[in-house]
Amino acid sequence: MGIRRDRQDLPEILTAARDAAVAFLEGLPRRPAARRPPAEHLAPNDLPERGVGALAAVDRFRSRFEEGLSGSAGPRYLGFVTGGSTPAAVAGDWLAAAYDQNLSNDGDSIATAVELETLGMLRSLFGLGDAFHGAFVSGATQANVVSLAAAREWAAQRQGVDLAADGLYGLPPIPVLGGTPHASVEKALSILGMGRRIEIVPCLPGRRSVDPQALDRHLESLDGAPAIVIASAGEVNTGDFDDLAALGEICRRRGAWLHVDGAFGLFAACDPDRSHLLKGLESADSLATDGHKWLNVPYDSGLVFTRHLGLQERVFHAVAAYLGDGPDLLHRTPENSRRFRALPAWMTLVAYGRDGYRELIRQNCAQAEELGRRLDASKHFDLLAPVRLNIVCFALARGGTAERDQLLSDLVDDGRAFLTPTVFNGRPGLRAAFSNATTTDTDVGTVARALEELVQKV
């Protein structure tokens, strides 16, 4: 049997995988930041009757697909907010796959204790108190789902409905308010049966930060009805922050739930020069963030924190004789089957500590500021917003959507950088997000030169 044979050859197989990984990672500085997929679709293949074995499978993947992979883990992939993976995180992820622990229950392994310890270190990194309880989920979108599910439970209880037991039937709509909610929040609300019904609150002039007075007036008009407020800690287009202290005070006074979407902005807490952006964070009822961004661990590493663990567990409690009824982490998230996804985070936190992450945040923010300065000084580009954290939001000085899209397409073909589009105050723009530990000041210059050269061809 092929599986048994490969078990005997496991050291050789893992060596082949190691060699492939090392070659790929060492080649990232030279790999194009993005790869355009082939125009033709890959032909579907039937499952082979006889397998070729693991070594041949590794070789076949590398020969067929590896060249088409992007440099998304590399230093000039500035689209979305994508970090790479630290060496310690890569080692942790490999070991998580090898250990393959069952994180449903804590009665047969110390793995749950590792996750709880990791959550404690992250709570410390973010400056959260012991009132916050955490869990690992697959990503920030899932963290928003979990947080808003608990918020929905809270709102239903306020209206005398046992939502976890009886469902949404007969429950009036729950107002959800926000200034600049991320698309994943709308997706989460859709999943939860609440609809994509976010009531947009005006922002401060020239900002992507909600106007606290406008929010206060909106909540006052609800006459005490339970509402959910979505705050941004690191708005996705500009890196702007809502005034969490002001919003927290308003939500307490008006009886609203405050959820903070801090997918990448929560990491500003690592740097004393930027931690003031999170003043008032402790007033949040729930928080969402993402490890694959500034923690620089592999994908599949979202985090949710709550001050209302009982409500969250009421939503996600799993009842079955074989599961037991202990304080297991499966009762905090939608998943019963839970990967040992805390291990890469544990590894990187222990390996590099608070100092390492302080240096990473400062480095990336300085690089964003430098690119912003270069673009602001260029006659070809306009800076659309101040660089407040790690995101540079800008536009072509002349031209609209078609010219912007052409420049982004040319960047993909050029390979020196990858950026993503945006719209700011109705103007088509571009955004560059710095969140990779391997990005250097030289890379910033490379990105700036690529933009300058290519924009003149548009």
Side-chain angles (χ1 to χ4, degrees):
M1 182 180 178
I3 297 174
R4 292 200 184 104
R5 183 176 63 249
D6 274 352
R7 284 284 183 186
Q8 298 173 359
D9 297 335
L10 186 59
E12 187 178 358
I13 293 165
L14 293 181
T15 297
R18 170 198 172 278
D19 292 345
V22 169
F24 182 84
L25 293 173
E26 288 183 344
L28 276 174
R30 299 177 299 279
R31 177 173 288 268
R35 291 281 202 185
R36 196 178 300 282
E40 69 280 1
H41 292 291
L42 296 171
N45 291 299
D46 291 334
L47 179 69
E49 186 64 31
R50 296 180 62 84
V52 297
L55 280 171
V58 170
D59 288 341
R60 185 172 298 182
F61 179 86
R62 296 190 70 186
S63 63
R64 288 189 61 197
F65 299 119
E66 190 177 85
E67 185 179 353
L69 297 177
S70 76
S72 59
R76 295 184 304 281
Y77 188 92
L78 307 180
F80 312 103
V81 187
T82 303
S85 293
T86 67
V90 171
D93 201 58
W94 280 30
L95 289 173
Y99 294 152
D100 201 19
Q101 294 294 287
N102 172 18
L103 267 291
S104 295
N105 297 85
D106 67 354
D108 64 352
S109 169
I110 201 171
T112 296
V114 175
E115 181 163 338
L116 290 171
E117 182 171 299
T118 309
L119 291 165
M121 288 191 285
L122 287 163
R123 206 164 47 227
S124 173
L125 190 71
F126 298 141
L128 300 173
D130 293 340
F132 286 90
H133 299 271
F136 276 86
V137 291
S138 58
T141 298
Q142 190 74 298
N144 282 328
V145 170
V146 172
S147 296
L148 294 174
R152 184 186 62 176
E153 184 75 15
W154 163 84
Q157 288 188 3
R158 287 275 303 273
Q159 299 181 71
V161 177
D162 187 345
L163 191 62
D166 300 328
L168 287 164
Y169 309 106
L171 184 70
I174 302 167
V176 180
L177 289 68
T180 58
H182 188 267
S184 65
V185 172
E186 291 190 348
K187 179 187 285 191
L189 292 170
S190 176
I191 291 169
L192 294 169
M194 299 170 69
R196 302 174 186 266
R197 301 163 52 105
I198 301 175
E199 300 175 28
I200 300 300
V201 179
C203 288
L204 295 167
R207 297 281 302 278
R208 301 285 287 176
S209 175
V210 70
D211 181 344
Q213 293 184 4
L215 175 67
D216 191 29
R217 290 192 297 269
H218 200 136
L219 289 174
E220 183 182 21
S221 71
L222 297 177
D223 197 26
I228 301 168
V229 174
I230 310 296
S232 293
E235 187 270 333
V236 70
N237 291 300
T238 65
D240 207 347
F241 282 68
D242 285 330
D243 185 340
L244 302 180
L247 269 56
E249 189 278 326
I250 292 167
C251 288
R252 282 195 304 273
R253 179 159 43 83
R254 300 295 185 188
W257 178 289
L258 178 61
H259 171 62
V260 176
D261 183 354
F264 63 92
L266 229 57
F267 288 87
C270 303
D271 180 6
D273 294 335
R274 294 175 175 84
S275 59
H276 66 277
L277 296 168
L278 293 164
K279 183 181 178 182
L281 182 65
E282 68 281 355
S283 63
D285 294 285
S286 55
L287 308 165
T289 190
D290 210 340
H292 85 255
K293 294 181 170 66
W294 248 342
L295 191 60
N296 275 216
V297 300
Y299 273 94
D300 189 35
S301 185
L303 292 151
V304 57
F305 289 95
T306 182
R307 289 197 295 113
H308 305 276
L309 184 60
L311 283 172
Q312 187 169 309
E313 289 184 333
R314 181 165 180 76
V315 176
F316 297 107
H317 190 75
V319 180
Y322 77 96
L323 291 175
D325 197 29
D328 299 309
L329 294 176
L330 73 92
H331 299 304
R332 298 185 184 185
T333 76
E335 301 163 306
N336 282 7
S337 301
R338 304 183 67 255
R339 189 175 187 269
F340 197 8
R341 56 171 63 99
L343 185 54
W346 186 95
M347 285 282 189
T348 196
L349 289 167
V350 171
Y352 311 116
R354 192 182 302 273
D355 285 349
Y357 281 94
R358 183 183 302 117
E359 179 183 355
L360 169 57
I361 271 59
R362 286 177 170 171
Q363 166 188 304
N364 285 160
C365 290
Q367 290 162 347
E369 290 170 356
E370 175 59 21
L371 181 61
R373 281 191 291 269
R374 291 182 181 228
L375 294 172
D376 198 33
S378 169
K379 65 180 181 181
H380 300 294
F381 297 102
D382 294 333
L383 203 59
L384 295 180
V387 178
R388 291 188 170 90
L389 195 65
N390 64 324
I391 292 180
V392 186
C393 184
F394 63 103
L396 278 68
R398 290 178 294 277
T401 301
E403 290 77 12
R404 187 271 315 269
D405 291 348
Q406 184 61 55
L407 175 58
L408 288 171
S409 178
D410 291 346
L411 270 175
V412 171
D413 293 335
D414 177 81
R416 280 178 285 178
F418 178 72
L419 279 66
T420 42
T422 189
V423 175
F424 184 81
N425 290 342
R427 187 173 177 185
L430 305 87
R431 57 186 292 283
F434 289 82
S435 51
N436 191 305
T438 65
T439 304
T440 66
D441 295 347
T442 300
D443 291 313
V444 177
T446 299
V447 173
R449 284 192 298 275
L451 288 167
E452 284 286 338
E453 292 169 12
L454 295 174
V455 74
Q456 298 178 60
K457 301 176 183 179
V458 172

